[in-house]
Each structure stands twice: as C-alpha cells, then as structure tokens.
Amino acid sequence: MMKRVRGNAQTGYCGIFRGVLLVVLLAVSSVPETAWGMRLTYVRHLFDITHRFSQPSDVAVSPDGMIYIVDGVNNEVKVFNRDGSFAFSFGSGGALKGQLNFPMGIAVGSSGKVYVADSGNHRVQIFSPRGSYLSHVNLSGKIKLSDPTDVAVDEASSRLYVADNDNHHILMYDLSGLQLLQTIGGPGSEKREFRYPFLMTLDRNKYLYVTDVVNTRVQSLNPDGLFVAVMGGWGVEKGNFFRPKGIAADRDNRIYVSDSYMGVIQVFRGDGPFYSAAGDPQTGRVKKFITPMGLFIDSGNRLYVVEMFAERVGVYAIEGDSE
C-alpha cells in the first residue's frame, strides 16, 4: 500500500528538511498557538472508529448519517452507524464488478449512491447505499494508466469529478450517461495544472477543491472547471503545507485541509486566505493527528478524520474559535 501514499517524487527533498520540521513540531507542541496570534478552531473529540482497518484513506457520510470508510489494503468499504457501531461492509479483492483493488477515495451522493475511486482497477464504481454494485466508469490515462484517487459528485447537476493522480488532471463526467465532458488541467505548477492531485471536496456552491500534493497547495475550480483560487504553498508556517492530503468544506464554506506529514489540519476561507488551525479545546494548542488523510464534515458539523497509520477514524464536534 505504500505506493498509495502520494508525493514520493520529493522523498529526498523531504529528508533535507526533516530536522527543521521536527524542531517546528516540537515548538508547536509546547507553546500555546494563541500566544503567537494564531486563531484556533476547536474540535472536541467524540469517539474513534476502529475495525481491523489496514491503512484506511477516506471517509464520507450519507444524508441519513451512515459513515462509509475506505479500507484500502483490505479492499473493502466498511459502513458504520452514526454512533460508530459497525453496520456492514462491501467489496473484496479483485477486478470483477463490485470487487476492489486498492480503493482510495469515496463520495456519497444526495441519493445515497456510493462512488468509489477503485484505484488499482483504473475505474470508478457506483454502489447502492447497501453496497450492491450498480455501474462503473472505466478510465483511460494519457500519460499512464489512470489512477483515480478520489471522486466528488454533484447529482443535482449530474456531475462526477475524478482525480487522476498519475496523469495529473481532473476528469469531469456527465452522470446521466457516464460520458466524459472535460479533462481539467495537466502536469505542471501553473494555475489549473497539477502534480499528483489527490483528494477533493465540493462546497455548498459546488465549487471543487483539490489537494495538489507535490505542488503543496489546494486549487479551487468553479463548476465549469475554471480556476478560482489557490491555498497554501510549501512551508511549515501557518497557511503552508508539507503534504496536503485530505479536504472538506464546512457549512460556512470554510475549507479544512489535512497535512499528512505535519499531522495538523488547517482551515482556510473559501476564497483562499488562511483562517485557523484545528485546535484541542483541552490544551488550547493545535490538535495533532497521526498521518491525517481523508476528511469529511457532515450536516451536524461533525468532523471525521482518517488517521491512516493509526488505522482509525476520529469523530469530532466542531466548536467555536479561540478569538
């Protein structure tokens, strides 16, 4: 599964700065961030979901509150009730309809249909809320075989977005006929270009936000796929990223971004500027996570955080800001 942890192109680059990063993390862990003038958005821990996961990667919650978690190495999607109790699972290793091969990302539509980025099978599969296979989209890459790492869906507008990690672009499909409408972007570091796009989310206005991992930023696009704004940039200060991975939008259109290397979640305004960092209300400091990956915020303002190497999903209540 290690090849699924993206951004390996800069492994050496990361190593050069590892010492600097550890110093920064030690400083951050010992000093209240409010002393530096950094706003915190407090997230109160409710409970953890664990169920023999092996490097889980993403999470989504249905309109009726069911929690869907991608358990990639086990080639399963595991489903839990709102209280975190196990409900059922679907998927198994393989390439047949309904089988999965290192799935990565997931989305649940307003209808309850479940969309899974079936990375190793180079396709997106669509399931019923109970996990029955419905249909799929085979993807073809221009540079390499398609490597779908995430999906985002707007069923009201009949739009399906797919992050093709290895081909460095986003694919937009018409849901009604599963026909490709547009290929957004390509390799590069300019606006509307990507270097290993990974996870995505849609805000309440159906703008798309994409973690652009090796470019260490988030890009936002309007529903037509046009560039709107950029968040972040390389660094270890507030508003910067080392390895942005997961992303979610809250009901105020603020964008939460996990940094799997720094172990933090930062919050941005929808138009790009840094807003705050997720904080621990008990300590008054930045909340630390273990390899945070996929994020989701439900209609009840609960934040779900996939901690890949801790093999759990933490559930948090989003509370007020520190200032």
Side-chain angles (χ1 to χ4, degrees):
M1 183 66 175
M2 289 304 294
K3 81 183 191 73
R4 299 293 165 204
V5 183
R6 303 298 173 181
N8 292 332
Q10 287 191 340
T11 300
Y13 187 63
C14 292
I16 293 172
F17 291 94
R18 188 181 182 95
V20 174
L21 181 60
L22 289 175
V23 170
V24 171
L25 290 176
L26 287 171
V28 167
S29 65
S30 60
V31 180
E33 280 73 5
T34 50
W36 299 333
M38 180 190 292
R39 179 190 291 115
L40 299 180
T41 296
Y42 290 122
V43 295
R44 177 171 53 86
H45 183 255
L46 299 175
F47 58 88
D48 290 327
I49 300 173
T50 59
H51 197 275
R52 298 185 297 277
F53 294 126
S54 184
Q55 298 183 28
S57 54
D58 201 11
V59 57
V61 180
S62 68
D64 62 355
M66 300 300 289
I67 305 164
Y68 293 76
I69 298 171
V70 180
D71 191 6
V73 173
N74 288 324
N75 296 308
E76 287 184 309
V77 174
K78 293 179 177 175
V79 188
F80 300 82
N81 298 305
R82 181 174 171 79
D83 63 0
S85 59
F86 178 75
F88 62 94
S89 64
F90 60 92
S92 62
L96 300 177
K97 293 178 179 179
Q99 293 184 321
L100 301 167
N101 184 8
F102 289 112
M104 289 295 298
I106 192 168
V108 181
S110 56
S111 68
K113 289 180 181 178
V114 182
Y115 301 77
V116 179
D118 188 5
S119 179
N121 285 324
H122 320 293
R123 65 187 179 186
V124 172
Q125 293 202 71
I126 305 172
F127 298 87
S128 75
R130 292 291 303 178
S132 298
Y133 167 84
L134 297 176
S135 60
H136 70 273
V137 184
N138 285 322
L139 310 173
S140 58
K142 294 182 178 179
I143 301 172
K144 299 179 180 179
L145 288 173
S146 270
D147 183 16
T149 52
D150 201 17
V151 287
V153 61
D154 175 12
E155 290 182 336
S157 298
S158 193
R159 293 289 181 269
L160 173 69
Y161 302 90
V162 183
D164 188 342
N165 187 270
D166 284 354
N167 288 290
H168 313 287
H169 59 216
I170 307 300
L171 304 171
M172 181 196 296
Y173 284 85
D174 175 12
L175 272 178
S176 61
L178 299 180
Q179 298 298 312
L180 180 65
L181 297 175
Q182 185 181 169
T183 299
I184 303 168
S189 56
E190 300 299 319
K191 294 177 180 178
R192 215 169 170 263
E193 294 179 339
F194 302 95
R195 295 171 70 199
Y196 299 100
F198 192 60
L199 296 178
M200 306 183 293
T201 196
L202 291 168
D203 71 9
R204 67 186 182 192
N205 298 317
K206 307 308 178 184
Y207 280 50
L208 182 71
Y209 297 80
V210 184
T211 54
D212 188 4
V213 176
V214 177
N215 283 328
T216 58
R217 64 186 181 182
V218 168
Q219 291 195 70
S220 63
L221 309 170
N222 74 9
D224 295 321
L226 299 178
F227 173 84
V228 175
V230 66
M231 303 170 183
W234 188 88
V236 294
E237 301 295 331
K238 64 181 182 182
N240 296 143
F241 299 122
F242 212 85
R243 277 294 178 269
K245 292 290 177 66
I247 190 162
D250 71 11
R251 58 194 179 192
D252 295 317
N253 258 16
R254 296 188 186 118
I255 308 303
Y256 291 60
V257 185
S258 66
D259 191 312
S260 64
Y261 197 88
M262 293 283 283
V264 299
I265 295 172
Q266 298 188 72
V267 186
F268 294 79
R269 284 178 15 196
D271 57 352
F274 172 83
Y275 178 78
S276 66
D280 186 335
Q282 292 188 325
T283 65
R285 298 189 175 100
V286 169
K287 173 70 178 173
K288 295 301 169 51
F289 304 88
I290 300 173
T291 54
M293 298 286 282
L295 304 177
F296 192 88
I297 299 173
D298 69 13
S299 59
N301 218 32
R302 298 203 307 182
L303 171 67
Y304 301 77
V305 182
V306 178
E307 294 181 89
M308 176 177 272
F309 292 146
E311 298 184 334
R312 67 189 177 205
V313 175
V315 183
Y316 299 82
I318 301 175
E319 300 185 331
D321 295 336
S322 61
E323 55 180 70

